[in-house]
Amino acid sequence: MSKLVAIALYLFLASSAFAGELLQDTIEKTIPLDPNGTFSLRAIDGSVEIYGAEKNEVKLVAIRKAYSLERLNEIQIHINGQGDCVNVTTVAPPQPRWGFKDRSGTVDYMINLPQHARSSVEMPNGDLVIHGMRGKGATVSLGNGRMTMHNCYCDQSLRLQRGTLNLFFDWNDLRPIVADATVVNGNIQAVVPGDSSFRLHAVSEFGRVASDFTEIQERRRGGVSQIDDVIGPAPASRLLLQTTHGNIKISETIW
């Protein structure tokens, strides 16, 4: 057997060994949390969905997934605290030293929180969605993937390394908020009602900025595109949007 054929056979056998049935198990837990408490999640690759709710508790469903029982059992979820603070930490399986060892292991989270709680989420890769938070603020960091904030009427500090960041507001809210979003490589889309009032500062270093609410756009030396404008008669809220390599679009909500 030639060396090239032997390598091809090894690659085939290695890939086949880990192309079997996906194993998964589900963890469910409910923890009391004060309505103005703090929740933090440190996730691994997978998905996270968080919903603001009216109950004073954290209701958590975590689905662990892997292609071997060993890898599945190596995913650990630590839940600590109650009352004014709940912390959830996910420990990923160790990365194998050899290239063709099983590297599987993800967790999908579905979480209900008190809607006025302060929240913090860190995630390396995946899909992250937060709905309906209205409290002290949300701090969110994602490595690679898609981040969506839907009807979150609270201060937001959002950081994404690579992917797409979406901000959706279906209606106006009386409380002033600051949405501060930064993407290194990727696009930002913000969709807000047509009768909104806010201060807009949007900057793309190597891309384009466009808005349905204003035609004012400035281009600076080096290709930087930005819009710095006041929208509406009483701009109490602020949209601060910045991307390095990507585009920014501010659109009007259409029903």
Side-chain angles (χ1 to χ4, degrees):
M1 182 184 296
S2 70
K3 185 176 181 180
L4 201 57
V5 172
I7 291 174
L9 180 61
Y10 175 73
L11 291 174
F12 172 77
L13 292 175
S15 62
S16 298
F18 306 112
E21 181 181 358
L22 180 66
L23 304 177
Q24 67 180 49
D25 72 352
T26 300
I27 298 170
E28 298 187 30
K29 192 158 186 179
T30 300
I31 313 101
L33 179 63
D34 295 342
N36 295 309
T38 299
F39 172 83
S40 68
L41 168 64
R42 181 170 294 177
I44 63 172
D45 293 355
S47 67
V48 173
E49 291 187 37
I50 294 177
Y51 298 86
E54 295 183 357
K55 291 186 177 181
N56 298 336
E57 63 185 22
V58 175
K59 186 174 182 180
L60 179 147
V61 177
I63 303 174
R64 303 187 301 174
K65 298 178 181 180
Y67 282 105
S68 68
L69 186 59
E70 179 184 5
R71 296 289 289 180
L72 190 70
N73 291 332
E74 287 176 334
I75 302 172
Q76 300 178 31
I77 298 174
H78 302 296
I79 303 172
N80 299 303
Q82 61 179 358
D84 63 349
C85 183
V86 172
N87 300 313
V88 180
T89 302
T90 320
V91 180
Q95 290 298 319
R97 297 177 60 185
W98 302 102
F100 301 110
K101 291 285 186 179
D102 183 9
R103 294 175 176 269
S104 64
T106 63
V107 177
D108 294 335
Y109 279 104
M110 289 165 284
I111 302 169
N112 288 350
L113 297 181
Q115 61 182 353
H116 292 282
R118 184 185 299 276
S119 58
S120 173
V121 181
E122 296 180 28
M123 185 179 183
N125 305 289
D127 196 352
L128 196 159
V129 184
I130 300 180
H131 305 265
M133 296 303 293
R134 303 173 64 85
K136 296 180 179 179
T139 301
V140 186
S141 176
L142 174 61
N144 300 283
R146 180 177 59 183
M147 181 189 304
T148 301
M149 306 293 290
H150 182 228
N151 288 341
C152 290
Y153 295 95
C154 61
D155 290 345
Q156 305 167 43
S157 177
L158 314 174
R159 301 294 180 266
L160 173 62
Q161 287 297 311
R162 182 183 297 274
T164 300
L165 193 155
N166 300 305
L167 288 167
F168 296 126
F169 299 96
D170 292 340
W171 63 81
N172 288 319
D173 194 274
L174 295 178
R175 74 191 67 205
I177 67 168
V178 177
D180 182 356
T182 299
V183 177
V184 178
N185 291 285
N187 300 325
I188 299 176
Q189 176 183 222
V191 182
V192 299
D195 57 349
S196 299
S197 293
F198 57 96
R199 179 66 186 257
L200 172 64
H201 182 70
V203 180
S204 174
E205 294 187 31
F206 300 98
R208 184 172 180 270
V209 178
S211 170
D212 290 346
F213 297 88
T214 178
E215 296 181 359
I216 301 173
Q217 180 176 345
E218 176 187 350
R219 281 199 171 273
R220 303 202 307 264
R221 181 175 299 178
V224 175
S225 175
Q226 74 170 13
I227 293 177
D228 194 352
D229 198 11
V230 174
I231 312 300
S237 295
R238 289 184 291 163
L239 281 182
L240 310 176
L241 312 176
Q242 181 173 351
T243 180
T244 303
H245 300 277
N247 302 317
I248 299 174
K249 172 66 174 177
I250 301 93
S251 303
E252 179 182 347
T253 303
I254 298 176
W255 294 103

